[in-house]
Amino acid sequence: MSTDKKLSGKTALITGASKGLGKAMALAFADAGAQLALVSRDMKLLAEVQAACRGRGAQAEVYQVDVTSEAQVEQLKRDVLARFGKLTILVNNAGINFRKPVTEFSLAEWHQILDTNLTSVFLLCRAFVPHLEGGCGRIINLSSMMAHVSIAHRVPYSASKAGIMGLTKSLALEVAAKGITVNAISPGPCGTEINAPILNNPELLAKFTAQLPVGRFGKPEEVAALAVFLASGDSGFITGTDVVIDGGWIAQ
Ligand code: NAD
């Protein structure tokens, strides 16, 4: 899939852009010609991503925001619109996961996962939908193959990702007439920090890899190339759905 300047003249906001899939999408969007508003809590890591994007010729600004905070998201809206004047692409990528039996989850941990993975998507969409460019606006929400299938010890995570799918469908219908599409990307296991408990456990890593028909974890760049396509003009007839990129996991 070519990322050849498909996003030229477009402004994209990416949450959780300091590392992992968010960082890979920031770099791919920069290569594709987008101007970038990069959001995360870690300004040190974010500054490195900003420098890499600028090194690829992109305009890139960084914003320290906790996406679970309504006040911070509203301030982000004011700051991004003051800087760029408009937004074309909103990528809701920030996410977390804790893995344990349901009986060991506190209510606070449940809220932390739901607030980070799902409520943040509502807050960002509510803030930016009125300002998304008509005709070519794009919202891309990071769901997961765990919205389709699940495994034990993922109760809040799977619930949050399935919630993203409901949000994605309803919002897609709400904004379709404005030429704005809303889609999700549902990755299978990729080699990023969110999977450190698996990647750092040789036994678990072997077990997960054995369950992947392609025999390996996904690369962040593969998810990023898909995001560029969904953000581009080529994807205008795709809305209210998700694209699964999982090495064949859910086909089994
Ligand atoms: P990661 O842990 O490498 O990065 C997560 C990013 O989200 C970081 O930049 C982090 O700072 C940011 N973040 C977390 N909480 C935040 C908050 N409250 N406010 C602002 N930023 C916050 O994870 P990743 O693998 O890059 O995952 C990105 C997204 O893709 C997540 O939504 C995740 O659930 C989803 N996903 C990942 C995989 C995978 O295997 N990596 C699979 C399916 C879905």
Side-chain angles (χ1 to χ4, degrees):
M1 207 177 284
S2 165
T3 58
D4 187 32
K5 301 294 173 201
K6 282 180 185 297
L7 306 183
S8 187
K10 297 180 176 178
T11 303
L13 186 155
I14 303 174
T15 67
S18 65
K19 57 189 173 189
L21 303 185
K23 177 180 178 179
M25 288 189 279
L27 298 177
F29 279 32
D31 284 343
Q35 313 181 95
L36 292 161
L38 305 173
V39 175
S40 193
R41 294 163 304 179
D42 186 331
M43 288 306 269
K44 189 170 170 290
L45 287 178
L46 212 46
E48 291 171 16
V49 179
Q50 178 186 37
C53 290
R54 286 180 171 172
R56 292 166 185 237
Q59 288 184 48
E61 304 297 338
V62 293
Y63 302 91
Q64 186 171 32
V65 174
D66 179 339
V67 295
T68 67
S69 162
E70 181 177 23
Q72 290 183 34
V73 170
E74 287 299 310
Q75 185 59 46
L76 174 69
K77 173 181 74 177
R78 291 190 285 275
D79 291 344
V80 168
L81 294 176
R83 168 64 180 83
F84 293 103
K86 61 169 186 176
L87 190 68
T88 325
I89 302 153
L90 169 62
V91 182
N92 289 305
N93 165 73
I96 55 171
N97 191 7
F98 314 140
R99 304 157 173 93
K100 53 187 178 178
V102 68
T103 48
E104 291 177 18
F105 272 103
S106 67
L107 181 57
E109 288 170 326
W110 164 270
H111 282 309
Q112 192 182 348
I113 294 176
L114 269 290
D115 286 354
T116 306
N117 295 3
L118 182 58
T119 306
S120 72
V121 182
F122 158 69
L123 291 175
L124 270 291
C125 289
R126 191 183 62 174
F128 284 102
V129 158
H131 308 284
L132 277 181
E133 241 184 305
C136 58
R138 299 281 184 265
I139 298 176
I140 300 171
N141 300 321
L142 268 290
S143 181
S144 169
M145 71 177 190
M146 293 290 159
H148 293 264
V149 297
S150 198
I151 51 180
H153 304 165
R154 302 294 192 280
V155 165
Y157 186 78
S158 274
S160 70
K161 295 303 185 180
I164 282 184
M165 291 312 307
L167 185 158
T168 297
K169 290 176 194 173
S170 181
L171 186 57
L173 301 177
E174 192 172 318
V175 298
K178 294 180 185 155
I180 297 170
T181 68
V182 187
N183 290 296
I185 293 177
S186 292
C190 299
T192 65
E193 205 170 305
I194 205 169
N195 288 324
I198 299 165
L199 297 166
N200 296 333
N201 178 330
E203 208 176 307
L204 258 186
L205 180 59
K207 193 176 152 199
F208 270 77
T209 306
Q211 277 184 260
L212 280 158
V214 302
R216 64 169 176 87
F217 275 45
K219 298 174 192 162
E221 297 74 24
E222 293 172 315
V223 176
L226 174 57
V228 170
F229 167 69
L230 287 177
S232 76
D234 293 342
S235 67
F237 200 54
I238 304 174
T239 197
T241 188
D242 71 332
V243 180
V244 178
I245 173 166
D246 71 342
W249 185 295
I250 76 165
Q252 299 168 97

